[in-house]
Amino acid sequence: IAILAAILFPVFAKAREKARQSSCLSNLKQIGVAVMQYCQDFDEVYPSSWFSGGLAYPGLYQWDDAVAPYIKSTQIFTCPSRKPTSYTDSSTGVSQTSSYGWNWYTYMPGVTPNYTTLAVTVDPARICLMTEFTNAYHTVYFLWLGPPNNHGTFSHNDGQNLVYTDGHAKWQNRQTIIGGFDAYGYQQ
């Protein structure tokens, strides 16, 4: 029995992680669809990280508040393989809890390259919008996913899920993510 258990436990653990990977991918796909719906309703502009004049917070609200009308459950902001991180901005008091981080260049107008709208985003199927990230600020800097910062989670069979600026989501392995994206989230 011990030999059989020693053989089967790793197989079951891998199958369980594969199921979590699929659930996480589904979460990101739903977020991607919600973002695309938001873009269609707001002149093809991606949600910003912080907005002013929101209902959830006095004077401010976040990207997850912006896409909330398009999402049925806030549980999709949590990857089943890892506990979400919380961040509270000290200057605004606004807190955010999520397992996912947004590409800095999709919500920062005035930076180059500028991916803040569908119209200016060239080749949206190759620009990452969001991925799993361990940075408490929930902002993805692609140079930080690998060494020396190691903010990528790679918790799904040595890879992680990503959603792109056209709304599609897929899993990528560690080598593809670390070596296959430039600093701006563009997959080369």
Side-chain angles (χ1 to χ4, degrees):
I1 293 177
I3 294 172
L4 184 61
I7 294 170
L8 292 179
F9 282 145
V11 172
F12 291 147
K14 191 165 185 128
R16 184 176 55 244
E17 181 50 42
K18 199 69 168 161
R20 289 178 181 158
Q21 175 184 331
S22 295
S23 178
C24 177
L25 185 63
S26 174
N27 289 350
L28 282 172
K29 176 62 179 163
Q30 290 176 62
I31 292 170
V33 169
V35 169
M36 292 296 99
Q37 290 173 329
Y38 176 93
C39 288
Q40 293 306 310
D41 287 347
F42 291 92
D43 298 325
E44 297 189 347
V45 175
Y46 292 108
S48 291
S49 178
W50 307 106
F51 293 84
S52 61
L55 300 175
Y57 304 99
L60 290 173
Y61 69 103
Q62 306 162 283
W63 65 265
D64 52 352
D65 293 314
V67 299
Y70 309 98
I71 294 173
K72 289 186 177 186
S73 171
T74 58
Q75 290 178 338
I76 69 167
F77 297 116
T78 303
C79 172
S81 291
R82 55 186 284 279
K83 186 177 178 181
T85 56
S86 294
Y87 166 69
T88 301
D89 186 284
S90 59
S91 63
T92 64
V94 176
S95 64
Q96 183 179 30
T97 302
S98 178
S99 298
Y100 308 114
W102 278 65
N103 182 348
W104 175 262
Y105 292 93
T106 61
Y107 69 80
M108 290 301 296
V111 297
T112 303
N114 183 339
Y115 300 141
T116 57
T117 70
L118 290 173
V120 299
T121 304
V122 178
D123 202 2
R126 294 177 65 184
I127 299 168
C128 182
L129 175 66
M130 177 180 269
T131 187
E132 300 165 80
F133 204 59
T134 61
N135 178 342
Y137 300 109
H138 301 276
T139 304
V140 175
Y141 302 100
F142 276 81
L143 293 178
W144 289 10
L145 290 177
N149 299 301
N150 297 315
H151 286 175
T153 63
F154 306 111
S155 58
H156 301 301
N157 300 306
D158 203 33
Q160 63 190 58
N161 296 309
L162 303 97
V163 64
Y164 291 80
T165 54
D166 68 348
H168 86 275
K170 69 180 180 179
W171 175 87
Q172 297 278 345
N173 66 30
R174 178 190 302 261
Q175 291 75 26
T176 301
I177 292 171
I178 292 175
F181 286 85
D182 67 10
Y184 310 108
Y186 185 82
Q187 188 170 14
Q188 303 178 33

